[in-house]
Amino acid sequence: MSSQIIPGPGGTGPGAASPHAPSAANSIRMVRLLGTVSLMCGLLIVVTNLATKDRIQSNQETITRESVAELLPGISKQVTYGVEPSGELKVLTGATGEGKKFFAGYDGSGKLVGVVIEAGERGYADVISALYSYSPATQTIIGFKVVDMRETPGLGDRIKSDIPFLANFKNLDAKVENGKEVHNITTVKHGTKKNAWEIDAISGATISSRAVGRMLHKSVEDVTPVILKNLDRIERGN
Amino acid sequence: MLRDKQPVTITADTHPFLNGLWKQNPVFVMVLGMCPTLAITNSVKNAISMGLATTFVMVASYGMISAIRKLIPKQVRIATFIAIIACGVTVVDFLVKAISIPVYQALGAYIPLIVSNCLTLERAEAYAGKQPVVKSMLDGLGMGLGFALALTCLGMVREVLGAGTFLGFPVFGSRFEPWVLFLLPPGGFISLAMWLLFFAWRKERAAKLAAAEATQ
């Protein structure tokens, strides 16, 4: 945008400025007005941010907690663990925030039911973020839920709701040895799933289905060794 | 995004609220703000949310613009309008997040894009920058709700045909095969064209009827 807007012929804009090029006094007036407007707008934004911050955080927290409870039916207690870059575990107070983390779910008697792990991977359009539940006892994935995505409506977005596709994640082999999967989780063409570590793709949504496979493979190799190493501690819930 | 349009003339007998809602409906009559109209109308819920968010931005920012209209030097009026509208959009962004995260996720990138919706700037330039506060806010309300109405019309066609649901509730039996095309971008253009055709047909029919009456 040019620094100086020449008014068009017969222009009838607001204000009482002269139709000629701005004079020095005029320039000061413009700077003063724009400065004041920006300052006031900035203040308004800061006030709104402060007023809504807690509410937004608790909203995000509720959504995450509900998703975890949905993926691990029957749990009555949740503990959030953060994974430090060194591989150490840390109990977190909130369910939101940056960094790698997972949620352990316990039933009424305090027994570990499973853990829910956050994962993300580039799909057909933007990153697909998801949660999946993992059972350390059997080393399998037992549930999967898309949290956020921009996949094509009617095609790729079926990874969220397609019942046969979601059935892939009822008992998906995710065995890990020495930090590597014994059988890599892979997405196979629709109708050709033979093994417990394969995901049957949705026909017409191959790219999104493959992204889910890659996401789970990466995340399983990344997070589950830490869980298995610290399983005693997670079972105690501290 | 601003196009060289004929300035919209406001006749004295039109109420600023009804003007935007119907007579000069931003989408069906003025054909402004096409980006969100086509992009966000794949479900009724998204369409209504987007319409209401835009309405809020327009009412709040037009009130402010109109209140300081006599202080704004002509040379920087567009910059001032944009600063005020952008501020309103940021506030809405926070509020939507605080009200409902799922709605926020659905609207995604389109909330910040209210700033670049040519409708918001066009009304600031054509109306709020020249008219008193209450009238400007009424104009914003009318235009915003007119926009919401138009978006809902499009969203209705696209959701019912494209997903077989209305506001998430199934409207057809389980044997209905959804026309996915209507959820995809071409469906937006097709639905918009159908609505514009409908309004053009109505207008033409009204003109014919009036002409027939005049000759009698």
Side-chain angles (χ1 to χ4, degrees), chain A residues 5 12 14-15 30 59 150 152, chain B residues 75 77 97-98 129-130 184:
Chain A
I5 297 162
T12 49
M30 283 184 228
N59 271 352
R150 308 253 173 280
T152 318
Chain B
Q75 294 89 340
R77 66 185 192 279
K97 246 194 255 179
K130 296 167 187 161
L184 300 174

Side-chain angles (χ1 to χ4, degrees), chain B residues 89-138:
Chain B
V89 169
T90 313
V91 169
V92 165
D93 197 63
F94 285 129
L95 290 181
V96 173
K97 246 194 255 179
I99 293 167
S100 165
I101 301 269
V103 170
Y104 181 77
Q105 283 171 345
L107 295 181
Y110 299 102
I111 293 183
L113 283 180
I114 296 175
V115 184
S116 60
N117 185 340
C118 45
L119 170 66
T120 51
L121 190 58
E122 195 270 343
R123 293 318 290 172
E125 166 78 359
Y127 200 92
K130 296 167 187 161
Q131 301 286 341
V133 176
V134 176
K135 271 177 100 176
S136 297
M137 287 175 82
L138 272 177

Side-chain angles (χ1 to χ4, degrees), chain B residues 1-212:
Chain B
M1 293 209 44
L2 265 185
R3 280 172 294 165
D4 281 335
K5 284 223 144 214
Q6 284 293 313
V8 178
T9 42
I10 312 287
T11 45
D13 56 315
T14 351
H15 192 275
F17 175 69
L18 294 176
N19 182 52
L21 194 64
W22 191 249
K23 208 166 172 186
Q24 296 202 316
N25 186 287
V27 175
F28 294 141
V29 180
M30 294 200 289
V31 200
L32 285 173
M34 285 299 106
C35 172
T37 305
L38 293 168
I40 209 75
T41 51
N42 50 18
S43 80
V44 176
K45 194 177 154 197
N46 289 357
I48 293 176
S49 319
M50 186 65 187
L52 293 183
T54 311
T55 307
F56 182 87
V57 170
M58 288 172 77
V59 173
S61 49
Y62 292 176
M64 272 170 84
I65 289 171
S66 178
I68 59 166
R69 68 184 187 281
K70 296 210 172 95
L71 302 171
I72 305 175
K74 193 154 126 193
Q75 294 89 340
V76 291
R77 66 185 192 279
I78 302 283
T80 316
F81 295 164
I82 286 287
I84 292 174
I85 294 170
C87 166
V89 169
T90 313
V91 169
V92 165
D93 197 63
F94 285 129
L95 290 181
V96 173
K97 246 194 255 179
I99 293 167
S100 165
I101 301 269
V103 170
Y104 181 77
Q105 283 171 345
L107 295 181
Y110 299 102
I111 293 183
L113 283 180
I114 296 175
V115 184
S116 60
N117 185 340
C118 45
L119 170 66
T120 51
L121 190 58
E122 195 270 343
R123 293 318 290 172
E125 166 78 359
Y127 200 92
K130 296 167 187 161
Q131 301 286 341
V133 176
V134 176
K135 271 177 100 176
S136 297
M137 287 175 82
L138 272 177
D139 179 70
L141 187 68
M143 284 289 165
L145 290 180
F147 186 63
L149 178 80
L151 256 57
T152 312
C153 286
L154 256 92
M156 201 167 67
V157 171
R158 294 183 68 185
E159 191 183 332
V160 168
L161 295 181
T165 58
F166 180 78
L167 276 170
F169 299 106
V171 286
F172 298 115
S174 55
R175 296 182 62 188
F176 175 73
E177 186 60 42
W179 300 0
V180 172
L181 173 75
F182 272 89
L183 294 182
L184 300 174
F189 285 97
I190 295 171
S191 325
L192 179 66
M194 291 195 319
W195 278 108
L196 289 178
L197 205 63
F198 173 71
F199 279 94
W201 170 75
R202 270 194 45 152
K203 206 172 153 190
E204 204 180 76
R205 202 184 59 154
K208 263 190 198 150
L209 283 177

Side-chain angles (χ1 to χ4, degrees), chain A residues 207-227:
Chain A
I207 296 178
S208 311
S209 308
R210 283 206 190 123
V212 172
R214 276 202 312 277
M215 166 202 298
L216 293 179
H217 167 64
K218 279 189 202 161
S219 171
V220 162
E221 287 203 340
D222 194 27
V223 183
T224 57
V226 185
I227 295 176

